[in-house]
Amino acid sequence: MRTPILAGNWKMYKTVAEAKSLVSESKDDLLAVSGVDKVFCPPFLAVPAVAELVAGTALGVGAQDMYWEDEGAYTGEVSPLMAKEFCQYVIIGHSERREYFGETDADVNKKIKAALRHGLTPIVCVGESLEIRQAGDTERWVTEQVRGAVADLTGEQVAGLVFAYEPIWAIGTGLAATPQDAEHVCGSVVRATVREMYGAQVAEAVRIQYGGSIKPGNALDLMSQPNVDGGLVGGASLQAADFVAIVRHTAEAKGTA
Ligand code: 13P
């Protein structure tokens, strides 16, 4: 039985003061929902404040990215050593990083290895563009991204990963994937690729989120899919009530409420 995991990716939103209010507003309600892992992923400057507010609770903190070297002359970067002072998770290979900052599958693989070396749980994002989808190439594209991400990893390492299937056309558009599409790619592409590479036990253990325009209104249907083990939530995670509602719907869908 996989524990569902809901992560709020705040992207480049929230000052430290705003971050503190968002966490304070939602913390108790989130903690009241059992059987679901809940993670805040604030911008770096707000990470220490959020970590302090959730210290000693079951709420987790994630970075939205990090570099793969432990330290060095890399102006502007944050290392896994620095992230792990405050975070248990790190989002790796978000499509916005791939699109605007040129991240490749090879970079993603290096970052995953760096995260694992330091005991951080990677949330590894994969997903196709609208063009790729319209060309009927989604399966091949996502399979390649998964294969590239896990290159040289052991089965034990892969079992501990979280994948996030985020179709780019669904991010920030209000147009979520249908529950059937989410289930198909999470189950028959991402999990199936892990199964082919590492066997059934690893495939059954790995957690796979869906992400892209998750809202309180569609969360129950999306999270009811057997191969969808939670969500990576963007816009709706910026509103305390919406994120709490999505977490509650997930618990209801998975029968942990
Ligand atoms: P939205 O929920 O705003 O579509 O963003 C999804 C996302 O990119 C989360 O990482």
Side-chain angles (χ1 to χ4, degrees), residues 9 11 94 96 166 170-173 211-214 232-236:
N9 174 11
K11 307 193 180 182
H94 192 282
E96 288 150 16
E166 296 208 317
I171 296 176
T173 59
S213 297
I214 301 179
L232 187 53
V233 185

Side-chain angles (χ1 to χ4, degrees), residues 170-209:
I171 296 176
T173 59
L175 186 79
T178 63
Q180 293 71 30
D181 272 348
E183 169 65 14
H184 171 68
V185 180
C186 290
S188 305
V189 182
V190 179
R191 198 177 309 283
T193 301
V194 171
R195 185 178 297 113
E196 206 179 295
M197 297 179 77
Y198 294 96
Q201 211 177 332
V202 174
E204 287 313 307
V206 72
R207 293 188 288 179
I208 306 171
Q209 299 172 316

